[in-house]
Amino acid sequence: MTPKQQRILGVDPGLHTTGYGMIEISSNKVRLLEAGVVRSHAAELSQRIHDIYNGIVEVINAFHPEVLALEELYSLYKRPRTAILMGHARGAICLAAAQANISVIPYEATKIKKILTGNGRASKDQMQRAIQLEFRLEKYPEPPDVADALAIALCHYYHGKINMNNSGLIFK
């Protein structure tokens, strides 16, 4: 990697399926390095957390990102237990990043969607389409967790450009 390159790992946390997307920025060009999921089919919560941690460590060790962009925890009023459980997944991801001395930058789901689609309430389908277009993919990234992870990584990149320029959204 040259000094002008930066690798960003985007992660969409989940207890069964955690999406990840690794992008590289070089000369203001975005390149998709790898995207996929870390899956856990374990019945016990502790084993699922362990599986997530190991999967993220593996991705970090393979690509050595400078930063990890992570979806912020949110809770629906009707399902607070979901947010509590998701906190476990985020904790495993944050631990993996901390042990590799990588900064973790959280982003709200609505901000990610707004930056990528212009709509803070974009559907899964809209997010998959935005990622398909951004990376010129032949088809939608599957499962949607992969598109979400790539969107989080891109959000971090675009957010940095917005803050540097203070002139609004910048798209290629």
Side-chain angles (χ1 to χ4, degrees):
M1 239 179 354
T2 66
K4 292 184 179 184
Q5 290 179 319
Q6 181 187 32
R7 289 186 175 178
I8 303 167
L9 174 58
V11 180
D12 180 37
L15 283 174
H16 296 286
T17 305
T18 292
Y20 70 88
M22 179 67 66
I23 64 172
E24 183 175 78
I25 313 303
S26 180
S27 301
N28 282 331
K29 292 184 181 171
V30 180
R31 184 168 68 110
L32 171 60
L33 296 180
E34 182 173 293
V37 294
V38 175
R39 292 192 193 275
S40 179
H41 300 289
E44 290 187 29
L45 177 62
S46 60
Q47 186 59 49
R48 279 191 251 160
I49 293 166
H50 187 254
D51 293 345
I52 293 164
Y53 169 81
N54 285 338
I56 296 299
V57 165
E58 189 176 309
V59 173
I60 288 170
N61 288 340
F63 292 98
H64 308 286
E66 283 79 28
V67 66
L68 188 149
L70 183 64
E71 185 174 283
E72 185 67 77
L73 190 62
Y74 67 93
S75 175
L76 298 174
Y77 181 73
K78 293 180 181 181
R79 294 191 206 118
R81 186 171 189 274
T82 301
I84 293 167
L85 290 172
M86 291 306 298
H88 290 77
R90 289 184 86 251
I93 294 161
C94 290
L95 176 60
Q99 288 180 333
N101 202 27
I102 298 169
S103 297
V104 176
I105 312 296
Y107 289 97
E108 295 174 4
T110 53
K111 179 178 226 154
I112 297 162
K113 292 175 180 185
K114 178 85 172 171
I115 287 177
L116 267 287
T117 69
N119 176 3
R121 303 271 182 233
S123 68
K124 290 277 187 193
D125 184 66
Q126 288 172 307
M127 293 301 291
Q128 286 175 292
R129 177 79 174 137
I131 295 302
Q132 179 188 23
L133 292 172
E134 180 71 32
F135 290 108
R136 297 175 185 92
L137 303 174
E138 289 183 23
K139 57 184 182 173
Y140 280 8
E142 288 288 343
D145 310 87
V146 172
D148 291 347
L150 286 167
I152 295 163
L154 283 172
C155 176
H156 179 74
Y157 170 61
Y158 289 140
H159 189 262
K161 289 182 77 169
I162 291 166
N163 285 342
M164 286 173 47
N165 292 337
N166 273 336
S167 61
L169 296 178
I170 301 168
F171 291 95
K172 295 194 271 182

